[in-house]
Amino acid sequence: MLFARGRYREAAGAFEAAIARAPSRLDASYNAAKALIHAKRWSLAVPHLVRARSLAPANEDVWFELRSLFLRLSRLEEAALDCARFEVVGA
């Protein structure tokens, strides 16, 4: 509900609380990242997407979001490495 109402920072906090209770929840990590991205707290979203990628290495949405975030943060080398990693995992 918080996310849908545009209360992205609060939504991120709720998803982070869910992660604290159950660190293996892909949805909580991914949604925390998405909320932080919408709140323009891009660097804080990175660890959540890295965790999501480790939980679901074949999930194309996670890889896309992480790569897009690296580009948005001008972390070009990491974006390129991420592309190369996905080609290996996604192959």
Side-chain angles (χ1 to χ4, degrees):
M1 279 312 251
L2 294 170
F3 189 94
R5 293 182 181 158
R7 296 167 58 186
Y8 302 121
R9 288 185 184 194
E10 291 175 72
F15 291 124
E16 288 170 342
I19 293 166
R21 288 189 304 274
S24 63
R25 284 190 57 185
L26 170 64
D27 62 328
S29 292
Y30 184 76
N31 290 327
K34 293 293 286 183
L36 289 165
I37 290 166
H38 280 280
K40 297 187 182 345
R41 301 188 67 155
W42 301 324
S43 60
L44 297 177
V46 170
H48 292 296
L49 287 173
V50 170
R51 181 183 312 104
R53 182 180 63 190
S54 71
L55 293 170
N59 186 310
E60 292 180 15
D61 293 331
V62 172
W63 285 88
F64 175 80
E65 289 295 340
L66 185 56
R67 188 175 320 118
S68 297
L69 195 53
F70 283 148
L71 292 172
R72 190 173 290 151
L73 291 166
S74 297
R75 292 166 60 172
L76 304 180
E77 188 173 321
E78 289 169 281
L81 288 170
D82 202 62
C83 284
R85 277 192 213 117
F86 179 72
E87 288 179 10
V88 171
V89 172

